[in-house]
Amino acid sequence: MNKYYRTFLQRLCQSINLKPAILTPGVLALLVTLPAAAVENNADDESKLRSEVENIFEKYGISEDIPKLGISSLTQGENLVEHMVRTIVEDGEVHKTEVFMVKTTDAKGNIDLRIKYDPRNLDEDTNVIEEIESATKTEYLLRSYSQGYDKSSITATEKDNGDVIVEFNYSKYQLPQDIAYFRFMKVSLLVVDGNVQSMSITNNKPFDYEGYTVDSYKQDISFVVKPDTGQVFIKDKHIVASGSRKGKPVQYETKIKTIAYYDKDDSVVISDRDLLTKVSDPRMREEKVELDRYFPLMADLVRRQGIDVPLPYGVSVSYRKQDMDVGFTYFDIMGLKLDDFFDPEKSYGIVTAESMAIRADLNILPFWNVYVLGGKIKVDATVNTEYTGVIRDVLEEKLGSEFKADIACKLIDEVGLPICDPAAFGVPLQLDYTLAGFGTTLSIGYREFFASLTGTYAVTKLDGQDWGEGIVTVQPMVGYQLLDYRAQVFVGAEYQGLKANMEGNLGFIEELNRDFTFDVGVELNQWAYLVGINKQIGKHYNITALYNKGETREAFTLNFGYRF
């Protein structure tokens, strides 16, 4: 009789379409745009610190724009020409490059930035223009981080000769991923006769950047003050760093010089006429740097508040393994109540599902992310059911005596159908599904803390059948950022909008001469808690691990993502 029960139960389980019990589509798309740290201080502390900073800066004639010049030279002036020479010595090999950068600004404030170069002065082993273009885009995006320093760290020391040393650190909270390494920097300003003469930026601990381990970093900037306006601009910038890459020693040096500075009143300061003549040579090649990006909307507004803005586009791959226990409350197949034959309370399913999904997402606003996802799910399940043997009672009622019922049961048993005795059966199943869905994430952050809410709508399709009903998944969570490690830990919950029953129609069954309909009651807990950690690797990559635990399910998810 086992083969008859197994055939029936296999048809039953396939008809139930186990998707609600084996899939959490929102988790496959979890890796939300974790919000960066927001404004550094509360209102009272911010007001107090601002007053202290203004007193120090005003006392010694320091412009509020000076600190951001260490991050982005594009913050100085509207029209300028810079000359850059970069030298990298990696494992004994020397790579040297020389380029010019020309920045112009129109009446509407739109910036046109071009890299001009002689191909003979480019390093042939690397795509220098692409690297410089990428770095320049970063500087452009960071031009609004005028308050990206820690106000509470500012100190001033007056020397015997009248010079003043003003020192401060860059902020842990307000620096974006692109220049996260600046949180390891200490800044020293030299003020002479009320004018800022130079700025020195050094690291206080090693840090990782773009595949390099940087042990020593120093940036020296000298300034020029226009006598007629008192405006400060960079005369030259010198960056020296040393470290290693893949175990090999690396030395890095960049020299940047402002060779022409054009003011709003059409006045010009030229520091090197020979270089200005050189960059004006019509034989020089040039590349235009496309600075503005449409997404996220309102990005500049948010950056001006000192808040990190995530890169707009992302793709990620997720692997998830989930184990579930499925309980049943009733069986109704084609209108026939089967509870008397199969005990729902003693029937249950053990389900293991493994899924792979790919997600593409977009940050429409700095705090609003939308995404689509698709993938495959493989299910290994065992449905254990308890046959009640109630058919013997039916035979006794029909035949009129226990004796006749016993004889009938014995005869049926001899032909291989032991339907008069209770029995437990386990039916193995292997099912393959296709997944598709979409969702959105809203997120906020304050200092090291953040919160997010993710909602996903997904549908699954059992191979050979139509798409099933959609499932809504919601994941609220809160977290804490480990700023020095560019990592986040978070806790929260996961809601799956599962119904208390599964019903459907598999269509016309020729052998039965009717549609195969089903309605099966299930016991599943809709909530589970979640804990996880996310680690950012450079400014483009991240990896996330997530663990779910609920009354009826347990899952582990691993995600690898790339943002650009």
Side-chain angles (χ1 to χ4, degrees):
M1 171 164 178
N2 288 359
K3 66 178 181 179
Y4 296 98
Y5 288 147
R6 292 179 190 276
T7 300
F8 168 74
L9 289 172
Q10 284 175 338
R11 175 61 66 87
L12 170 63
C13 293
Q14 290 176 352
S15 69
I16 291 174
N17 194 347
L18 287 169
K19 63 175 184 181
I22 53 91
L23 178 63
T24 311
V27 172
L28 298 175
L30 170 67
L31 296 175
V32 302
T33 309
L34 295 178
V39 181
E40 181 176 353
N41 307 98
N42 62 37
D44 293 337
D45 291 342
E46 180 73 18
S47 177
K48 181 179 178 181
L49 286 170
R50 186 182 297 112
S51 177
E52 294 174 354
V53 172
E54 288 173 352
N55 289 338
I56 292 176
F57 278 24
E58 182 179 354
K59 179 178 180 180
Y60 298 110
I62 302 173
S63 168
E64 276 284 330
D65 292 332
I66 291 295
K68 65 183 178 181
L69 292 177
I71 297 176
S72 174
S73 61
L74 291 179
T75 58
Q76 60 170 340
E78 296 182 340
N79 305 279
L80 57 89
V81 182
E82 293 180 323
H83 175 249
M84 185 190 82
V85 177
R86 187 186 76 174
T87 304
I88 299 177
V89 181
E90 185 169 358
D91 195 27
E93 294 185 7
V94 179
H95 306 275
K96 188 172 182 179
T97 292
E98 177 187 10
V99 299
F100 294 87
M101 286 172 284
V102 181
K103 170 192 172 186
T104 59
T105 307
D106 64 19
K108 297 181 179 180
N110 299 313
I111 294 177
D112 182 280
L113 185 64
R114 298 177 186 270
I115 301 172
K116 304 190 73 172
Y117 62 95
D118 183 339
R120 295 171 297 180
N121 294 330
L122 295 185
D123 176 31
E124 297 179 354
D125 296 329
T126 57
N127 193 339
V128 177
I129 296 300
E130 183 177 321
E131 292 179 2
I132 295 175
E133 183 176 357
S134 176
T136 306
K137 285 181 180 179
T138 298
E139 281 205 16
Y140 170 77
L141 294 173
L142 301 175
R143 70 197 188 283
S144 300
Y145 281 86
S146 59
Q147 303 301 325
Y149 57 94
D150 183 359
K151 299 177 180 64
S152 65
S153 69
I154 297 179
T155 61
T157 303
E158 297 183 355
K159 304 180 72 174
D160 294 338
N161 62 358
D163 295 348
V164 181
I165 303 296
V166 177
E167 296 180 316
F168 60 87
N169 300 325
Y170 282 103
S171 171
K172 289 184 177 182
Y173 304 112
Q174 297 180 358
L175 294 176
Q177 298 176 28
D178 307 77
I179 55 166
Y181 59 92
F182 265 83
R183 69 189 185 279
F184 300 114
M185 304 298 178
K186 184 176 182 63
V187 183
S188 178
L189 292 173
L190 173 61
V191 182
V192 179
D193 297 331
N195 293 318
V196 179
Q197 296 293 310
S198 63
M199 173 190 288
S200 179
I201 304 173
T202 56
N203 65 313
N204 52 35
K205 63 184 296 187
F207 59 90
D208 294 327
Y209 177 73
E210 297 288 332
Y212 294 90
T213 297
V214 182
D215 299 317
S216 174
Y217 177 96
K218 186 176 182 181
Q219 180 180 166
D220 291 315
I221 303 174
S222 61
F223 298 101
V224 173
V225 180
K226 290 189 64 177
D228 54 341
T229 63
Q231 187 173 4
V232 177
F233 65 92
I234 295 175
K235 178 181 179 181
D236 54 53
K237 180 186 293 190
H238 186 199
I239 302 173
V240 177
S242 63
S244 61
R245 182 182 185 186
K246 298 180 179 179
K248 298 179 180 180
V250 178
Q251 302 291 325
Y252 175 92
E253 181 179 25
T254 294
K255 295 181 180 179
I256 300 176
K257 182 178 183 180
T258 302
I259 62 177
Y261 180 90
Y262 303 83
D263 210 343
K264 293 181 179 179
D265 58 4
D266 295 330
S267 63
V268 58
V269 176
I270 299 175
S271 61
D272 195 315
R273 292 190 177 276
D274 290 339
L275 287 176
L276 185 59
T277 301
K278 184 177 181 179
V279 73
S280 302
D281 189 331
R283 293 172 296 180
M284 296 283 282
R285 296 185 184 180
E286 69 175 44
E287 296 284 342
K288 182 177 180 180
V289 181
E290 297 295 339
L291 296 172
D292 293 302
R293 305 185 74 167
Y294 191 75
F295 293 107
L297 302 175
M298 299 172 57
D300 274 354
L301 177 63
V302 174
R303 288 191 185 97
R304 282 193 286 270
Q305 308 305 314
I307 302 174
D308 193 1
V309 176
L311 295 171
Y313 308 103
V315 292
S316 60
V317 177
S318 294
Y319 167 79
R320 178 179 173 91
K321 182 179 181 181
Q322 177 167 295
D323 297 313
M324 282 193 92
D325 296 328
V326 183
F328 299 100
T329 57
Y330 65 85
F331 299 108
D332 184 333
I333 306 298
M334 296 185 295
L336 178 63
K337 304 293 185 180
L338 300 181
D339 295 358
D340 290 338
F341 296 90
F342 298 94
D343 189 347
E345 295 184 359
K346 295 182 180 180
S347 300
Y348 60 94
I350 300 175
V351 181
T352 297
E354 291 182 284
S355 56
M356 291 289 295
I358 298 176
R359 186 188 79 156
D361 70 272
L362 167 66
N363 288 313
I364 296 179
L365 294 171
F367 52 85
W368 179 29
N369 178 269
V370 295
Y371 54 85
V372 294
L373 61 97
K376 301 291 290 186
I377 306 168
K378 182 178 181 180
V379 177
D380 288 316
T382 300
V383 177
N384 298 286
T385 187
E386 186 83 14
Y387 175 64
T388 62
V390 73
I391 193 68
R392 186 189 182 285
D393 296 335
V394 175
L395 291 173
E396 182 179 345
E397 181 181 348
K398 296 295 184 181
L399 298 175
S401 70
E402 293 184 10
F403 176 74
K404 293 180 180 180
D406 289 339
I407 294 176
C409 286
K410 184 177 181 180
L411 293 173
I412 294 173
D413 185 68
E414 289 177 353
V415 298
L417 295 173
I419 61 175
C420 295
D421 298 318
F425 297 94
V427 181
L429 294 170
Q430 289 187 339
L431 307 172
D432 293 310
Y433 292 85
T434 299
L435 163 72
F438 62 89
T440 187
T441 295
L442 297 174
S443 56
I444 58 173
Y446 173 74
R447 302 190 70 177
E448 297 97 336
F449 302 95
F450 66 87
S452 67
L453 179 65
T454 297
T456 305
Y457 179 84
V459 292
T460 57
K461 178 180 180 296
L462 182 64
D463 287 359
Q465 297 188 16
D466 294 332
W467 289 94
E469 294 183 5
I471 304 172
V472 174
T473 303
V474 180
Q475 294 146 335
M477 60 185 179
V478 296
Y480 182 85
Q481 299 198 72
L482 305 172
L483 297 174
D484 289 340
Y485 301 96
R486 264 342 200 200
Q488 298 88 23
V489 293
F490 49 88
V491 297
E494 178 185 84
Y495 168 82
Q496 294 181 356
L498 305 175
K499 299 192 301 182
N501 73 304
M502 305 176 192
E503 57 184 345
N505 187 334
L506 292 183
F508 186 79
I509 306 298
E510 185 175 350
E511 293 82 357
L512 302 176
N513 197 33
R514 58 177 296 186
D515 286 352
F516 190 98
T517 60
F518 63 89
D519 184 0
V520 178
V522 295
E523 289 183 338
L524 290 171
N525 193 288
Q526 294 180 323
W527 285 96
Y529 71 77
L530 62 86
V531 295
I533 183 169
N534 177 65
K535 177 69 175 74
Q536 293 167 305
I537 306 171
K539 65 180 181 180
H540 292 291
Y541 298 94
N542 71 286
I543 186 169
T544 301
L546 174 73
Y547 174 73
N548 284 76
K549 178 66 175 178
E551 290 185 11
T552 57
R553 68 180 185 268
E554 182 178 17
F556 175 77
T557 305
L558 188 64
N559 184 96
F560 182 74
Y562 175 79
R563 302 208 67 80
F564 58 97

